[in-house]
């Protein structure tokens, strides 16, 4: 485990601007405790826009042809000048301000191992209540800026995307375990993917300006 000697954290500096919590009102059960959100913002609007449809195609598992939607999918992408092997590597690394811990996470041989290491790093003070949401938004946007992945995401059409899981993630997804099967999750990841798809579609339909030489 790396030593925590990062000077930026000792000085209270942050490599990313602090943003308000974009999830909404109420209480969440996050990391074993209840957390009060700071304010409503972009992901609240996203959650309201993408309600579960009565009919139509629904993607509930990020496996097989839809594995590219998973944070465990491996494909290098660049965010703020840093190359990340997967979303999970990026999310776990950016959870801490210590450069040594970030390097340790990025050296993980698999996304799952990066997630495990992410649970052992020193979380930045603003992580739970705010910055994790803007960080995930930036990560997803960076990943799907790759032509290969943007085409796959657009190919899902109007399908409703739900991050179905059985590991009790009711914030980013919708857990289907016996305990949570009657309590829909917030599905923030699914909503973020649909919002990203919508943004990609709008950009593809926007005429590109041309300049005559």
């Amino acid at each position: 485990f790396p030593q925590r000697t990062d000077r930026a954290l000792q000085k209270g500096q942050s490599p990313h601007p602090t943003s308000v919590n974009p999830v909404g009102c109420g209480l969440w059960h996050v990391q074993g405790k209840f957390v009060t959100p700071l304010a409503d913002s972009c992901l609240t609007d996203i959650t309201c826009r993408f309600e579960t449809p009565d009919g139509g195609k629904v993607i509930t598992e990020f496996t097989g042809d839809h594995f590219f939607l998973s944070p465990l999918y491996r494909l290098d992408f660049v965010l703020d000048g840093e190359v990340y092997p997967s979303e999970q590597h990026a999310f776990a690394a950016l959870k801490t301000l210590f450069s040594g811990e970030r390097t340790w996470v990025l050296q993980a041989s698999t996304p799952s191992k990066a997630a495990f290491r992410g649970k052992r790093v020193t979380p930045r003070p603003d992580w739970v209540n705010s910055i994790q949401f803007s960080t995930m938004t930036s990560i997803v946007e960076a990943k799907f800026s790759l032509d290969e992945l943007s085409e796959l995401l657009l190919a899902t059409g109007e399908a409703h995307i739900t991050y179905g899981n059985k590991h009790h993630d009711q914030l980013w997804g919708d857990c289907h375990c016996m305990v949570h099967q009657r309590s829909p999750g917030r599905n923030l990841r699914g909503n973020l993917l649909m919002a990203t798809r919508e943004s990609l579609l709008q950009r593809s339909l926007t005429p590109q300006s041309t300049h005559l030489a």
Side-chain angles (χ1 to χ4, degrees), residues 8-119:
L9 183 60
Q10 293 174 359
K11 295 180 180 180
Q13 298 173 353
S14 169
H16 297 278
T18 300
S19 63
V20 297
N21 178 9
V23 176
C25 58
L27 292 175
W28 319 323
H29 193 256
V30 181
Q31 295 183 350
K33 61 181 179 180
F34 285 101
V35 179
T36 304
L38 302 181
D40 293 340
S41 188
C42 58
L43 286 185
T44 302
D45 298 333
I46 291 174
T47 301
C48 294
R49 284 214 314 273
F50 300 110
E51 296 181 354
T52 305
D54 294 330
K57 183 178 180 181
V58 179
I59 298 172
T60 59
E61 294 184 359
F62 296 170
T63 58
D65 292 341
H66 297 134
F67 183 54
F68 71 95
L69 297 172
S70 170
L72 301 179
Y73 185 81
R74 292 203 64 154
L75 188 63
D76 288 354
F77 64 90
V78 179
L79 175 61
D80 294 338
E82 181 76 55
V83 178
Y84 296 98
S86 71
E87 282 187 65
Q88 195 63 71
H89 279 86
F91 193 67
L94 295 174
K95 181 179 180 180
T96 182
L97 297 178
F98 290 109
S99 59
E101 292 185 357
R102 286 187 174 184
T103 299
W104 180 62
V105 169
L106 293 177
Q107 289 173 342
S109 58
T110 67
S112 294
K113 290 181 179 179
F116 176 78
R117 293 187 179 190
K119 295 177 181 179

Side-chain angles (χ1 to χ4, degrees), residues 58-73 87 143-144 153 156 160-165 167 172-174 187-191 193-194:
V58 179
I59 298 172
T60 59
E61 294 184 359
F62 296 170
T63 58
D65 292 341
H66 297 134
F67 183 54
F68 71 95
L69 297 172
S70 170
L72 301 179
Y73 185 81
E87 282 187 65
K143 172 182 173 178
F144 287 96
L153 183 57
T156 61
H160 187 272
I161 302 175
T162 298
Y163 180 30
N165 65 85
H167 54 265
W172 294 107
D174 182 20
N187 192 37
L188 293 185
R189 176 170 181 78
N191 293 328
L193 288 168
M194 289 186 284

Side-chain angles (χ1 to χ4, degrees), residues 109-174:
S109 58
T110 67
S112 294
K113 290 181 179 179
F116 176 78
R117 293 187 179 190
K119 295 177 181 179
R120 297 187 62 194
V121 301
T122 308
R124 48 187 299 167
D126 53 353
W127 181 253
V128 172
N129 272 354
S130 60
I131 205 69
Q132 67 166 318
F133 304 104
S134 58
T135 296
M136 179 60 81
T137 300
S138 297
I139 290 171
V140 170
E141 290 177 347
K143 172 182 173 178
F144 287 96
S145 68
L146 300 174
D147 291 340
E148 174 184 342
L149 295 183
S150 64
E151 291 175 3
L152 289 174
L153 183 57
L154 287 170
T156 61
E158 297 182 355
H160 187 272
I161 302 175
T162 298
Y163 180 30
N165 65 85
K166 292 185 179 180
H167 54 265
H168 315 305
D169 187 345
Q170 289 286 77
L171 179 62
W172 294 107
D174 182 20

